Amino acid sequence: MTNQETIFSKIIRREIPANIVYEDDLALAFKDVNPQAPVHILVIPKKPIAKLADADAQDAALLGHLLLTAKRVAQEAGLKNGYRVVINTDADGGQTVYHLHLHILGGRQMAWPPG
Ligand code: DGP
């Protein structure tokens, strides 16, 4: 699937509301509307990369920034005992919104393997 308009583009432009917890020039973090854990935050790039499989070498610094943003947001959310970072990618990965996003899940013990 190619880059295209998604609900996350509208959140970046503040056209629809979201509970935003962090923003900088490159990234935005907001609470997931359908939380799967006591803390469930999404970190997205402002650049509309549809999915991880579409990222390339030019995105290396941005991808690193998203991970460091996930760390920062988890710390600010008080997840002292740990947390899980998930990127669902394309159909088999269970991706539903085609704008790259990192799920930060925490506040409970995570199970493995995931469903
Ligand atoms: P994924 O399945 O990995 O593509 O996850 C998409 C996530 O996005 C899912 O956990 C629900 C969340 N989501 C979908 N629409 C909205 C929305 O309009 N606002 C917020 N805050 N989250 C949304």
Side-chain angles (χ1 to χ4, degrees), residues 7-8 11 16 18 30-34 40 42 88 94-97 101 103:
I7 197 127
F8 291 174
I11 289 175
I16 63 166
F30 51 92
K31 294 187 180 175
D32 195 293
V33 78
N34 183 23
H40 189 169
L42 302 175
N88 295 326
Q95 185 172 3
T96 58
V97 178
H101 50 283
H103 295 259

Side-chain angles (χ1 to χ4, degrees), residues 30-49:
F30 51 92
K31 294 187 180 175
D32 195 293
V33 78
N34 183 23
Q36 302 300 314
V39 174
H40 189 169
I41 297 169
L42 302 175
V43 176
I44 69 171
K46 289 187 173 175
K47 178 180 176 180
I49 300 169

Side-chain angles (χ1 to χ4, degrees), residues 17-85:
N19 192 332
I20 293 169
V21 298
Y22 176 79
E23 179 171 25
D24 62 27
D25 288 349
L26 298 174
L28 188 71
F30 51 92
K31 294 187 180 175
D32 195 293
V33 78
N34 183 23
Q36 302 300 314
V39 174
H40 189 169
I41 297 169
L42 302 175
V43 176
I44 69 171
K46 289 187 173 175
K47 178 180 176 180
I49 300 169
K51 58 184 186 288
L52 184 61
D54 291 345
D56 60 27
Q58 287 187 331
D59 299 312
L62 176 60
L63 295 174
H65 181 72
L66 295 175
L67 274 179
L68 289 173
T69 300
K71 169 193 158 180
R72 175 187 182 137
V73 165
Q75 197 168 11
E76 289 175 358
L79 298 176
K80 291 189 177 64
N81 289 331
Y83 51 90
R84 182 168 290 172
V85 179

Side-chain angles (χ1 to χ4, degrees), residues 6 10 12 14 16 23 29 36 76 82 109:
T6 69
K10 292 184 168 58
I12 292 168
R14 307 297 205 276
I16 63 166
E23 179 171 25
Q36 302 300 314
E76 289 175 358
Q109 179 64 58

